Structures are given as structure tokens and as C-alpha cells.
Amino acid sequence: MVVGDISTGTEVLVIGAGPGGYVAAIRAAQKGLDTTLVERDAYGGTCLNHGCIPSKAYITATGLAHEVGNAEEMGIHADPAVDVAGMRDWKDGVVDQLTGGVEKLCKANGVNLVEGTARFDSETKVRVAHGGEGQGSETIEFDHCIVATGSRPMEIPGFSFADEPVLSSREALALDSAPDRLVVVGAGYIGMELSTTYAKLGTDVTVVEMLDSALPGYEDDIARTVRKRAESLGVDFHFGEGAAEWREGNDGGIVVATETDSGERSEYAADDVLVAVGREPVSDTLDLDAAGVETDDRGFVETDDQARTNVESIFAVGDVAGEPMLAHVGSKEGIVAAEVIAGEPAALDYQAIPAAVFTDPEIATVGLTESEAAEEGFTPVVGQMPFNASGRALTTGHTEGFVRVVADEETGFVLGGQIVGPEASELVAELALAVEMGATLEDVTSTIHTHPTLAEATMEACENALGQAIHTLNR
Ligand code: FAD
């Protein structure tokens, strides 16, 4: 049946049901605003379907198998058989549970759900094409719109995701068997998380990276710790090499050719090549021009600290609004946009944004590094606690890394922290709270921490910054 063209209206229209969009829609509905959420694919967006959740599911499952198979030191002798298709089914179950939950939550909060692809007709109207033949379209008029269309993996010349052996993170998180050999292009956080995951499945992983180190943007000692661990898992790194092309090999696989700045070429045999060189905004399919919304030269929608675009009625949140492209940042921006639309004085503060990389070991950061603090005019004081001096870390068998805290010498305010080691993604929450609430080193050290826990390392790092550490030598 052709539904035809119908016309409806809403106070708040949200485009995209990822962690930016669905959170914005729920908060807008909670504020009593008539809210409509349009999604063209799956509730939960990249995060739940092809990003954070599937990658963490695989990281946990492969980590578990690897740990059990390498625990002779603890007196455990096992050689677990890994069924990659079974692992994928379990991951799919986790994803289904969460995406179903998002849909139910939206409905329970009174959000109107519309399936289809939205494009702007003007600064107060979108047209939504419903999926499938004969499904028709509808025009939705809005008082305010929140654009939350996210991002997609970037291709590089010569490597099209349409070609079977060329994988984006999306395909790499949906394989039903592990390739024998994988070339990963890009040693950023997605490339590093997936390299480690596949290495633990027994894949021979080669990483090629144009820059001269892994995890650009992270401090050297942190990136080095993770790279060394990946090397110990068998990952082979080649820095200063850009992926140039790929071709079919003679052995049924492929050959990936790389080139250095000076034109030196190398070739690596593989079964698949994963291209993880970054993500670009999904803004080109929205007809933003029809609404007068401006983007920067890479296509990211420009916004202010209230998530407003240059058009009064239109907001943008999440990856489409640019860095930092993180799920929790998108959600926070979504909440701020909804509250601003509801007339509240909400605004974004990017000072205490934690970020985690779920490599082995994990990395987590918040606030300022030592050099950033100095650049901002503070006199930084730094405290550090290595995990190999932590009783709890020793009892888990994971002793690589450290907790580092950066504070202002004069006032003692905690300005930031960097953690590389076990459960860094969980531990950073305490430092994020400290930075957000303006806690001092003494606030953290006078808080009694449970023994034996990894969190004691945060307390010890703060004690170390004060010259009062008990379990490590003071600087
Ligand atoms: P998305 O999640 O991309 O959602 C956008 C939604 O909009 C999609 O569902 C899309 O279908 C829909 N859409 C697009 N255009 C239209 C249209 N015209 N009409 C209707 N609907 C439309 N972040 C973290 O914080 N932690 C992590 O551990 C982490 N791991 C990651 C691992 C991987 C492999 C990847 C790829 C990403 C990871 N991220 C992580 C990043 C995180 O997934 C994104 O930052 C987050 O999903 C962005 O949310 P969003 O709502 O802006 O967009």
C-alpha cells in the first residue's frame, strides 16, 4: 500500500537515535515537550549496534579466552576452544537487548518514533522518506530540531568498503570467523582495540600507521605501554607507512602495499584489511543547505556551548557536531540541547570529559595532562602510582601501567589524570568527579578507599603528589 505524503507537526524533532539523539529525545519528552525521533536504521546508533557495545563485547570475550588460556602462573592449565560465530551470536544478543531497551524507553517516555530517513526542506520542516518500496514519505514541521546523525568510517583512496576484503570497524565486529591474517590500517583507538581483539583470537595482525607512533594524542609512556603489550600478543607494527593499495594475492588472500613519505614501498600478505583511519560526519545527506545550517570544511556542524547551530531553531549533538566523538559526550550534548529548548540555562563544560580506550591494558584520561596544565598557566604537581605496587593489581595478574594525577601546586586542585592499566575505564570516574567538583589532592587522600582495590592506586597517586605516599617512594 502506498501511504502517500502526510504532514505532521512536533515541538521537538530529533534526527538520529544514537546516544546523542535518543537521550535528547527522552529528556525533551521528560520536560513535557511533544517530541518526535526519526531513525533510518537501528535504535542506539553506531554506539549500540556497530561501535562501543559490540567492540566491548568482543574485547571481553576474547580477553576472557586469552586469560584462561594463559593462566599457568595461577595454576590454571586450559586451552579454551573459541567459537567465533558463537561469540558473535552472544554479542548480537547483548546488542538486541540494549537496542530493544532504547525503543521501549523512548515509548515509555512518550517519544513519537518514526522510521525513515530525514532531509531538511527548510529551517522548520523535514521530509522523512520511509524505508522500502511504496512506504511513502511524510513532512514533519517542528519548532526545534536536534540533528544527531552521527558519523561513519572514513575510506581512503584505493580501499573501498564495497570490496569484500576491505573491512570497516562495522564489518570487523560482525565476522563469524577470525581471518588467519589481518592488516589494520591506522593505530588510533579503534585500530588498537580491534588489533588486540583479533590477536587474541589467534589472527596474525599487522598494523600500518602513517605517523611514527600508536595512539596519537596520548602521552608517550601511555601509548608505549599499550603498544608493547600488543607486540607481546604478536601484533606487528609498521610506523611511517601509509596504505597505498591492495590487490589479490597468489595464495587466495590479498596483498596490502604501503608507502613511506620518501616513496619506499612494502607489502604485507593478508586475508582482510581493516581500515580504521577515522570517522567523518553524516551531514552530507541531510540537505542542511535547505535549512541554512553551516558546517566546517570537513562537514561537521558548528555549534556553541548550548549545542546551537547558526540557525536559531536547529541544534546539533554528538559525532555530527565534531570532536570529541564519544558516546557519553553526545549524550551530554543531547541533554543540554533538550534542556535549552525547554528554556533552561543548561550549557556544556568540556573540562571534565573522561575518555577510555579498551585496549589491553586499558587507557583512561580526564582533564589536563602535565604539559597542558603548564600551558594553561598552572604550576602542575604530578603524582604517580604504578600498578606493580598495588596489592589488588598483583592478585589479578595485571600489573602493567600506573595512575597519574595532575594537580595545581598552589591550590591542590585536581586538574586531570591519566591511567593506563587494569580497569582504567572504571577508575577514571573518581578523577572525573574530582576534576568536575574542584576537589583537591587532600579531598582524595582523606577519602578512605576500600582495601584491596585498584582504586587505592588513585589515592596513592594523590598522596605521591603531596609527597606523602606510603606504598611507593615519593618523588
Ligand atoms: P550515532 O551513534 O552514529 O547515531 C546516529 C544515528 O543517526 C544512526 O542510528 C543513524 O542511522 C541515524 N541517522 C543518520 N542520518 C539519518 C537521517 N538522515 N535520518 C534518520 N536517521 C539518521 N565511544 C565511546 O564513548 N566509547 C567507546 O568505547 C567507543 N567505542 C567505539 C568503537 C567503535 C568500533 C566505533 C566505531 C565507535 C566507538 N565509539 C565509542 C564512538 C561512539 O560510537 C560514537 O561517538 C557515538 O555512537 C556517537 O553517537 P551519535 O548519537 O552522535 O551518533
Side-chain angles (χ1 to χ4, degrees), residues 175-210:
L175 295 182
D176 52 17
S177 63
D180 290 335
R181 303 159 302 174
L182 178 69
V183 167
V184 177
V185 181
Y189 88 92
I190 292 178
M192 290 298 286
E193 284 186 1
L194 291 174
S195 301
T196 319
T197 304
Y198 274 98
K200 287 182 180 173
L201 284 173
T203 298
D204 276 339
V205 180
T206 303
V207 177
V208 296
E209 164 62 56
M210 267 169 95

PDB file of all heavy atoms in Angstrom, residues 175-210:
ATOM      1  N   LEU A 175      32.104 -10.453  12.054  1.00  0.00           N
ATOM      2  CA  LEU A 175      32.623 -11.634  11.355  1.00  0.00           C
ATOM      3  C   LEU A 175      32.215 -12.907  12.086  1.00  0.00           C
ATOM      4  O   LEU A 175      32.101 -12.925  13.308  1.00  0.00           O
ATOM      5  CB  LEU A 175      34.160 -11.572  11.277  1.00  0.00           C
ATOM      6  CG  LEU A 175      34.763 -10.441  10.438  1.00  0.00           C
ATOM      7  CD1 LEU A 175      36.283 -10.566  10.430  1.00  0.00           C
ATOM      8  CD2 LEU A 175      34.236 -10.478   9.010  1.00  0.00           C
ATOM      9  N   ASP A 176      31.980 -13.994  11.312  1.00  0.00           N
ATOM     10  CA  ASP A 176      31.661 -15.250  12.011  1.00  0.00           C
ATOM     11  C   ASP A 176      32.859 -16.191  12.078  1.00  0.00           C
ATOM     12  O   ASP A 176      32.760 -17.305  12.577  1.00  0.00           O
ATOM     13  CB  ASP A 176      30.416 -15.936  11.434  1.00  0.00           C
ATOM     14  CG  ASP A 176      30.517 -16.109   9.940  1.00  0.00           C
ATOM     15  OD1 ASP A 176      31.641 -15.995   9.430  1.00  0.00           O
ATOM     16  OD2 ASP A 176      29.476 -16.357   9.300  1.00  0.00           O
ATOM     17  N   SER A 177      34.000 -15.716  11.562  1.00  0.00           N
ATOM     18  CA  SER A 177      35.242 -16.466  11.802  1.00  0.00           C
ATOM     19  C   SER A 177      36.381 -15.452  11.797  1.00  0.00           C
ATOM     20  O   SER A 177      36.250 -14.366  11.219  1.00  0.00           O
ATOM     21  CB  SER A 177      35.458 -17.522  10.716  1.00  0.00           C
ATOM     22  OG  SER A 177      35.601 -16.885   9.471  1.00  0.00           O
ATOM     23  N   ALA A 178      37.468 -15.817  12.449  1.00  0.00           N
ATOM     24  CA  ALA A 178      38.597 -14.882  12.518  1.00  0.00           C
ATOM     25  C   ALA A 178      39.514 -15.132  11.321  1.00  0.00           C
ATOM     26  O   ALA A 178      39.856 -16.285  11.039  1.00  0.00           O
ATOM     27  CB  ALA A 178      39.366 -15.092  13.811  1.00  0.00           C
ATOM     28  N   PRO A 179      39.915 -14.078  10.589  1.00  0.00           N
ATOM     29  CA  PRO A 179      40.853 -14.304   9.484  1.00  0.00           C
ATOM     30  C   PRO A 179      42.189 -14.806  10.035  1.00  0.00           C
ATOM     31  O   PRO A 179      42.547 -14.505  11.173  1.00  0.00           O
ATOM     32  CB  PRO A 179      41.004 -12.912   8.851  1.00  0.00           C
ATOM     33  CG  PRO A 179      40.556 -11.938   9.898  1.00  0.00           C
ATOM     34  CD  PRO A 179      39.596 -12.661  10.786  1.00  0.00           C
ATOM     35  N   ASP A 180      42.921 -15.568   9.209  1.00  0.00           N
ATOM     36  CA  ASP A 180      44.256 -16.005   9.657  1.00  0.00           C
ATOM     37  C   ASP A 180      45.195 -14.819   9.741  1.00  0.00           C
ATOM     38  O   ASP A 180      46.024 -14.735  10.630  1.00  0.00           O
ATOM     39  CB  ASP A 180      44.843 -17.028   8.665  1.00  0.00           C
ATOM     40  CG  ASP A 180      44.085 -18.335   8.738  1.00  0.00           C
ATOM     41  OD1 ASP A 180      43.495 -18.609   9.805  1.00  0.00           O
ATOM     42  OD2 ASP A 180      44.061 -19.059   7.720  1.00  0.00           O
ATOM     43  N   ARG A 181      45.048 -13.882   8.738  1.00  0.00           N
ATOM     44  CA  ARG A 181      45.960 -12.732   8.681  1.00  0.00           C
ATOM     45  C   ARG A 181      45.142 -11.465   8.441  1.00  0.00           C
ATOM     46  O   ARG A 181      44.281 -11.440   7.555  1.00  0.00           O
ATOM     47  CB  ARG A 181      46.961 -12.890   7.525  1.00  0.00           C
ATOM     48  CG  ARG A 181      47.788 -14.160   7.585  1.00  0.00           C
ATOM     49  CD  ARG A 181      48.343 -14.512   6.215  1.00  0.00           C
ATOM     50  NE  ARG A 181      47.298 -14.690   5.220  1.00  0.00           N
ATOM     51  CZ  ARG A 181      47.505 -14.883   3.925  1.00  0.00           C
ATOM     52  NH1 ARG A 181      48.736 -14.921   3.452  1.00  0.00           N
ATOM     53  NH2 ARG A 181      46.501 -15.044   3.076  1.00  0.00           N
ATOM     54  N   LEU A 182      45.440 -10.443   9.218  1.00  0.00           N
ATOM     55  CA  LEU A 182      44.693  -9.186   9.085  1.00  0.00           C
ATOM     56  C   LEU A 182      45.675  -8.024   9.066  1.00  0.00           C
ATOM     57  O   LEU A 182      46.549  -7.939   9.939  1.00  0.00           O
ATOM     58  CB  LEU A 182      43.743  -9.031  10.285  1.00  0.00           C
ATOM     59  CG  LEU A 182      42.895  -7.751  10.351  1.00  0.00           C
ATOM     60  CD1 LEU A 182      41.828  -7.746   9.243  1.00  0.00           C
ATOM     61  CD2 LEU A 182      42.197  -7.641  11.721  1.00  0.00           C
ATOM     62  N   VAL A 183      45.539  -7.166   8.061  1.00  0.00           N
ATOM     63  CA  VAL A 183      46.291  -5.907   8.100  1.00  0.00           C
ATOM     64  C   VAL A 183      45.337  -4.838   8.618  1.00  0.00           C
ATOM     65  O   VAL A 183      44.197  -4.732   8.158  1.00  0.00           O
ATOM     66  CB  VAL A 183      46.824  -5.513   6.701  1.00  0.00           C
ATOM     67  CG1 VAL A 183      47.320  -4.068   6.703  1.00  0.00           C
ATOM     68  CG2 VAL A 183      47.967  -6.433   6.286  1.00  0.00           C
ATOM     69  N   VAL A 184      45.780  -4.084   9.606  1.00  0.00           N
ATOM     70  CA  VAL A 184      44.969  -2.989  10.156  1.00  0.00           C
ATOM     71  C   VAL A 184      45.630  -1.681   9.739  1.00  0.00           C
ATOM     72  O   VAL A 184      46.818  -1.464  10.021  1.00  0.00           O
ATOM     73  CB  VAL A 184      44.886  -3.083  11.697  1.00  0.00           C
ATOM     74  CG1 VAL A 184      44.109  -1.900  12.266  1.00  0.00           C
ATOM     75  CG2 VAL A 184      44.239  -4.400  12.116  1.00  0.00           C
ATOM     76  N   VAL A 185      44.873  -0.834   9.066  1.00  0.00           N
ATOM     77  CA  VAL A 185      45.406   0.464   8.662  1.00  0.00           C
ATOM     78  C   VAL A 185      44.950   1.484   9.692  1.00  0.00           C
ATOM     79  O   VAL A 185      43.752   1.760   9.815  1.00  0.00           O
ATOM     80  CB  VAL A 185      44.899   0.859   7.254  1.00  0.00           C
ATOM     81  CG1 VAL A 185      45.497   2.204   6.846  1.00  0.00           C
ATOM     82  CG2 VAL A 185      45.218  -0.219   6.237  1.00  0.00           C
ATOM     83  N   GLY A 186      45.899   2.011  10.460  1.00  0.00           N
ATOM     84  CA  GLY A 186      45.555   3.015  11.471  1.00  0.00           C
ATOM     85  C   GLY A 186      45.732   2.472  12.877  1.00  0.00           C
ATOM     86  O   GLY A 186      45.149   1.451  13.219  1.00  0.00           O
ATOM     87  N   ALA A 187      46.569   3.168  13.673  1.00  0.00           N
ATOM     88  CA  ALA A 187      46.812   2.741  15.057  1.00  0.00           C
ATOM     89  C   ALA A 187      46.187   3.717  16.042  1.00  0.00           C
ATOM     90  O   ALA A 187      46.735   3.998  17.101  1.00  0.00           O
ATOM     91  CB  ALA A 187      48.310   2.585  15.318  1.00  0.00           C
ATOM     92  N   GLY A 188      45.012   4.256  15.667  1.00  0.00           N
ATOM     93  CA  GLY A 188      44.233   5.053  16.612  1.00  0.00           C
ATOM     94  C   GLY A 188      43.498   4.118  17.563  1.00  0.00           C
ATOM     95  O   GLY A 188      43.752   2.913  17.573  1.00  0.00           O
ATOM     96  N   TYR A 189      42.536   4.657  18.320  1.00  0.00           N
ATOM     97  CA  TYR A 189      41.964   3.800  19.360  1.00  0.00           C
ATOM     98  C   TYR A 189      41.152   2.638  18.784  1.00  0.00           C
ATOM     99  O   TYR A 189      41.212   1.524  19.308  1.00  0.00           O
ATOM    100  CB  TYR A 189      41.184   4.625  20.400  1.00  0.00           C
ATOM    101  CG  TYR A 189      39.723   4.883  20.112  1.00  0.00           C
ATOM    102  CD1 TYR A 189      38.727   4.031  20.579  1.00  0.00           C
ATOM    103  CD2 TYR A 189      39.316   6.012  19.398  1.00  0.00           C
ATOM    104  CE1 TYR A 189      37.383   4.282  20.337  1.00  0.00           C
ATOM    105  CE2 TYR A 189      37.981   6.267  19.152  1.00  0.00           C
ATOM    106  CZ  TYR A 189      37.017   5.402  19.622  1.00  0.00           C
ATOM    107  OH  TYR A 189      35.690   5.654  19.377  1.00  0.00           O
ATOM    108  N   ILE A 190      40.432   2.865  17.677  1.00  0.00           N
ATOM    109  CA  ILE A 190      39.639   1.755  17.123  1.00  0.00           C
ATOM    110  C   ILE A 190      40.567   0.689  16.538  1.00  0.00           C
ATOM    111  O   ILE A 190      40.392  -0.510  16.771  1.00  0.00           O
ATOM    112  CB  ILE A 190      38.631   2.282  16.080  1.00  0.00           C
ATOM    113  CG1 ILE A 190      37.573   3.136  16.792  1.00  0.00           C
ATOM    114  CG2 ILE A 190      37.962   1.129  15.319  1.00  0.00           C
ATOM    115  CD1 ILE A 190      36.540   3.774  15.883  1.00  0.00           C
ATOM    116  N   GLY A 191      41.609   1.113  15.801  1.00  0.00           N
ATOM    117  CA  GLY A 191      42.577   0.170  15.241  1.00  0.00           C
ATOM    118  C   GLY A 191      43.264  -0.632  16.330  1.00  0.00           C
ATOM    119  O   GLY A 191      43.452  -1.855  16.201  1.00  0.00           O
ATOM    120  N   MET A 192      43.615   0.037  17.435  1.00  0.00           N
ATOM    121  CA  MET A 192      44.327  -0.659  18.509  1.00  0.00           C
ATOM    122  C   MET A 192      43.405  -1.623  19.265  1.00  0.00           C
ATOM    123  O   MET A 192      43.802  -2.738  19.605  1.00  0.00           O
ATOM    124  CB  MET A 192      44.943   0.362  19.482  1.00  0.00           C
ATOM    125  CG  MET A 192      46.105   1.136  18.906  1.00  0.00           C
ATOM    126  SD  MET A 192      47.522   0.083  18.449  1.00  0.00           S
ATOM    127  CE  MET A 192      48.189  -0.313  20.068  1.00  0.00           C
ATOM    128  N   GLU A 193      42.163  -1.188  19.507  1.00  0.00           N
ATOM    129  CA  GLU A 193      41.229  -2.096  20.216  1.00  0.00           C
ATOM    130  C   GLU A 193      41.001  -3.365  19.381  1.00  0.00           C
ATOM    131  O   GLU A 193      41.025  -4.482  19.898  1.00  0.00           O
ATOM    132  CB  GLU A 193      39.881  -1.401  20.450  1.00  0.00           C
ATOM    133  CG  GLU A 193      39.895  -0.374  21.585  1.00  0.00           C
ATOM    134  CD  GLU A 193      38.503   0.205  21.890  1.00  0.00           C
ATOM    135  OE1 GLU A 193      37.514  -0.188  21.238  1.00  0.00           O
ATOM    136  OE2 GLU A 193      38.414   1.061  22.793  1.00  0.00           O
ATOM    137  N   LEU A 194      40.798  -3.168  18.077  1.00  0.00           N
ATOM    138  CA  LEU A 194      40.471  -4.332  17.238  1.00  0.00           C
ATOM    139  C   LEU A 194      41.694  -5.192  16.940  1.00  0.00           C
ATOM    140  O   LEU A 194      41.583  -6.416  16.821  1.00  0.00           O
ATOM    141  CB  LEU A 194      39.768  -3.877  15.958  1.00  0.00           C
ATOM    142  CG  LEU A 194      38.354  -3.315  16.216  1.00  0.00           C
ATOM    143  CD1 LEU A 194      37.737  -2.737  14.952  1.00  0.00           C
ATOM    144  CD2 LEU A 194      37.431  -4.400  16.783  1.00  0.00           C
ATOM    145  N   SER A 195      42.872  -4.570  16.844  1.00  0.00           N
ATOM    146  CA  SER A 195      44.100  -5.364  16.640  1.00  0.00           C
ATOM    147  C   SER A 195      44.294  -6.333  17.793  1.00  0.00           C
ATOM    148  O   SER A 195      44.597  -7.517  17.604  1.00  0.00           O
ATOM    149  CB  SER A 195      45.336  -4.463  16.606  1.00  0.00           C
ATOM    150  OG  SER A 195      45.229  -3.549  15.595  1.00  0.00           O
ATOM    151  N   THR A 196      44.121  -5.810  19.005  1.00  0.00           N
ATOM    152  CA  THR A 196      44.318  -6.646  20.193  1.00  0.00           C
ATOM    153  C   THR A 196      43.277  -7.764  20.228  1.00  0.00           C
ATOM    154  O   THR A 196      43.592  -8.921  20.542  1.00  0.00           O
ATOM    155  CB  THR A 196      44.173  -5.772  21.463  1.00  0.00           C
ATOM    156  OG1 THR A 196      44.817  -4.530  21.238  1.00  0.00           O
ATOM    157  CG2 THR A 196      44.773  -6.430  22.668  1.00  0.00           C
ATOM    158  N   THR A 197      42.046  -7.401  19.885  1.00  0.00           N
ATOM    159  CA  THR A 197      40.962  -8.393  19.907  1.00  0.00           C
ATOM    160  C   THR A 197      41.275  -9.542  18.943  1.00  0.00           C
ATOM    161  O   THR A 197      41.185 -10.721  19.305  1.00  0.00           O
ATOM    162  CB  THR A 197      39.634  -7.712  19.474  1.00  0.00           C
ATOM    163  OG1 THR A 197      39.416  -6.614  20.346  1.00  0.00           O
ATOM    164  CG2 THR A 197      38.459  -8.663  19.540  1.00  0.00           C
ATOM    165  N   TYR A 198      41.643  -9.188  17.716  1.00  0.00           N
ATOM    166  CA  TYR A 198      41.921 -10.241  16.729  1.00  0.00           C
ATOM    167  C   TYR A 198      43.185 -11.017  17.078  1.00  0.00           C
ATOM    168  O   TYR A 198      43.252 -12.236  16.863  1.00  0.00           O
ATOM    169  CB  TYR A 198      41.970  -9.653  15.315  1.00  0.00           C
ATOM    170  CG  TYR A 198      40.576  -9.583  14.727  1.00  0.00           C
ATOM    171  CD1 TYR A 198      39.847  -8.410  14.744  1.00  0.00           C
ATOM    172  CD2 TYR A 198      39.972 -10.730  14.219  1.00  0.00           C
ATOM    173  CE1 TYR A 198      38.548  -8.367  14.251  1.00  0.00           C
ATOM    174  CE2 TYR A 198      38.679 -10.700  13.725  1.00  0.00           C
ATOM    175  CZ  TYR A 198      37.970  -9.516  13.737  1.00  0.00           C
ATOM    176  OH  TYR A 198      36.688  -9.499  13.266  1.00  0.00           O
ATOM    177  N   ALA A 199      44.188 -10.327  17.627  1.00  0.00           N
ATOM    178  CA  ALA A 199      45.408 -11.049  18.025  1.00  0.00           C
ATOM    179  C   ALA A 199      45.060 -12.122  19.057  1.00  0.00           C
ATOM    180  O   ALA A 199      45.586 -13.235  19.030  1.00  0.00           O
ATOM    181  CB  ALA A 199      46.437 -10.067  18.579  1.00  0.00           C
ATOM    182  N   LYS A 200      44.130 -11.788  19.948  1.00  0.00           N
ATOM    183  CA  LYS A 200      43.744 -12.764  20.981  1.00  0.00           C
ATOM    184  C   LYS A 200      42.929 -13.926  20.402  1.00  0.00           C
ATOM    185  O   LYS A 200      42.790 -14.962  21.040  1.00  0.00           O
ATOM    186  CB  LYS A 200      42.962 -12.070  22.099  1.00  0.00           C
ATOM    187  CG  LYS A 200      43.874 -11.211  22.977  1.00  0.00           C
ATOM    188  CD  LYS A 200      43.114 -10.577  24.110  1.00  0.00           C
ATOM    189  CE  LYS A 200      44.051  -9.736  24.966  1.00  0.00           C
ATOM    190  NZ  LYS A 200      43.337  -8.967  25.987  1.00  0.00           N
ATOM    191  N   LEU A 201      42.380 -13.721  19.206  1.00  0.00           N
ATOM    192  CA  LEU A 201      41.670 -14.824  18.538  1.00  0.00           C
ATOM    193  C   LEU A 201      42.632 -15.685  17.719  1.00  0.00           C
ATOM    194  O   LEU A 201      42.222 -16.622  17.048  1.00  0.00           O
ATOM    195  CB  LEU A 201      40.589 -14.263  17.610  1.00  0.00           C
ATOM    196  CG  LEU A 201      39.314 -13.751  18.286  1.00  0.00           C
ATOM    197  CD1 LEU A 201      38.419 -13.062  17.273  1.00  0.00           C
ATOM    198  CD2 LEU A 201      38.564 -14.895  18.962  1.00  0.00           C
ATOM    199  N   GLY A 202      43.904 -15.300  17.730  1.00  0.00           N
ATOM    200  CA  GLY A 202      44.903 -16.099  17.007  1.00  0.00           C
ATOM    201  C   GLY A 202      45.221 -15.571  15.627  1.00  0.00           C
ATOM    202  O   GLY A 202      45.993 -16.192  14.880  1.00  0.00           O
ATOM    203  N   THR A 203      44.640 -14.436  15.239  1.00  0.00           N
ATOM    204  CA  THR A 203      44.933 -13.846  13.927  1.00  0.00           C
ATOM    205  C   THR A 203      46.330 -13.214  13.940  1.00  0.00           C
ATOM    206  O   THR A 203      46.719 -12.599  14.931  1.00  0.00           O
ATOM    207  CB  THR A 203      43.865 -12.757  13.613  1.00  0.00           C
ATOM    208  OG1 THR A 203      42.594 -13.386  13.562  1.00  0.00           O
ATOM    209  CG2 THR A 203      44.144 -12.037  12.312  1.00  0.00           C
ATOM    210  N   ASP A 204      47.057 -13.370  12.838  1.00  0.00           N
ATOM    211  CA  ASP A 204      48.342 -12.656  12.675  1.00  0.00           C
ATOM    212  C   ASP A 204      48.012 -11.224  12.276  1.00  0.00           C
ATOM    213  O   ASP A 204      47.546 -10.987  11.157  1.00  0.00           O
ATOM    214  CB  ASP A 204      49.154 -13.286  11.528  1.00  0.00           C
ATOM    215  CG  ASP A 204      49.928 -14.474  12.017  1.00  0.00           C
ATOM    216  OD1 ASP A 204      50.154 -14.570  13.229  1.00  0.00           O
ATOM    217  OD2 ASP A 204      50.271 -15.325  11.170  1.00  0.00           O
ATOM    218  N   VAL A 205      48.254 -10.278  13.152  1.00  0.00           N
ATOM    219  CA  VAL A 205      47.841  -8.895  12.897  1.00  0.00           C
ATOM    220  C   VAL A 205      49.055  -8.019  12.575  1.00  0.00           C
ATOM    221  O   VAL A 205      50.049  -8.018  13.304  1.00  0.00           O
ATOM    222  CB  VAL A 205      47.092  -8.299  14.113  1.00  0.00           C
ATOM    223  CG1 VAL A 205      46.665  -6.859  13.824  1.00  0.00           C
ATOM    224  CG2 VAL A 205      45.884  -9.146  14.473  1.00  0.00           C
ATOM    225  N   THR A 206      48.964  -7.304  11.447  1.00  0.00           N
ATOM    226  CA  THR A 206      49.981  -6.314  11.074  1.00  0.00           C
ATOM    227  C   THR A 206      49.316  -4.949  11.069  1.00  0.00           C
ATOM    228  O   THR A 206      48.274  -4.767  10.424  1.00  0.00           O
ATOM    229  CB  THR A 206      50.506  -6.604   9.647  1.00  0.00           C
ATOM    230  OG1 THR A 206      51.004  -7.939   9.621  1.00  0.00           O
ATOM    231  CG2 THR A 206      51.595  -5.628   9.243  1.00  0.00           C
ATOM    232  N   VAL A 207      49.886  -4.009  11.813  1.00  0.00           N
ATOM    233  CA  VAL A 207      49.315  -2.655  11.845  1.00  0.00           C
ATOM    234  C   VAL A 207      50.230  -1.724  11.058  1.00  0.00           C
ATOM    235  O   VAL A 207      51.439  -1.685  11.311  1.00  0.00           O
ATOM    236  CB  VAL A 207      49.190  -2.144  13.301  1.00  0.00           C
ATOM    237  CG1 VAL A 207      48.674  -0.701  13.324  1.00  0.00           C
ATOM    238  CG2 VAL A 207      48.265  -3.038  14.105  1.00  0.00           C
ATOM    239  N   VAL A 208      49.649  -0.989  10.105  1.00  0.00           N
ATOM    240  CA  VAL A 208      50.435   0.044   9.413  1.00  0.00           C
ATOM    241  C   VAL A 208      49.861   1.406   9.776  1.00  0.00           C
ATOM    242  O   VAL A 208      48.649   1.599   9.808  1.00  0.00           O
ATOM    243  CB  VAL A 208      50.454  -0.147   7.873  1.00  0.00           C
ATOM    244  CG1 VAL A 208      51.148  -1.439   7.522  1.00  0.00           C
ATOM    245  CG2 VAL A 208      49.071  -0.125   7.268  1.00  0.00           C
ATOM    246  N   GLU A 209      50.743   2.315  10.109  1.00  0.00           N
ATOM    247  CA  GLU A 209      50.332   3.635  10.592  1.00  0.00           C
ATOM    248  C   GLU A 209      51.249   4.682   9.974  1.00  0.00           C
ATOM    249  O   GLU A 209      52.467   4.546  10.007  1.00  0.00           O
ATOM    250  CB  GLU A 209      50.414   3.633  12.135  1.00  0.00           C
ATOM    251  CG  GLU A 209      50.400   4.984  12.807  1.00  0.00           C
ATOM    252  CD  GLU A 209      49.122   5.791  12.570  1.00  0.00           C
ATOM    253  OE1 GLU A 209      48.039   5.303  12.867  1.00  0.00           O
ATOM    254  OE2 GLU A 209      49.244   6.930  12.048  1.00  0.00           O
ATOM    255  N   MET A 210      50.630   5.734   9.410  1.00  0.00           N
ATOM    256  CA  MET A 210      51.401   6.796   8.763  1.00  0.00           C
ATOM    257  C   MET A 210      52.279   7.573   9.730  1.00  0.00           C
ATOM    258  O   MET A 210      53.374   8.005   9.404  1.00  0.00           O
ATOM    259  CB  MET A 210      50.441   7.804   8.128  1.00  0.00           C
ATOM    260  CG  MET A 210      50.133   7.523   6.693  1.00  0.00           C
ATOM    261  SD  MET A 210      48.782   8.559   6.185  1.00  0.00           S
ATOM    262  CE  MET A 210      49.700   9.883   5.473  1.00  0.00           C
TER     263      MET A 210
END
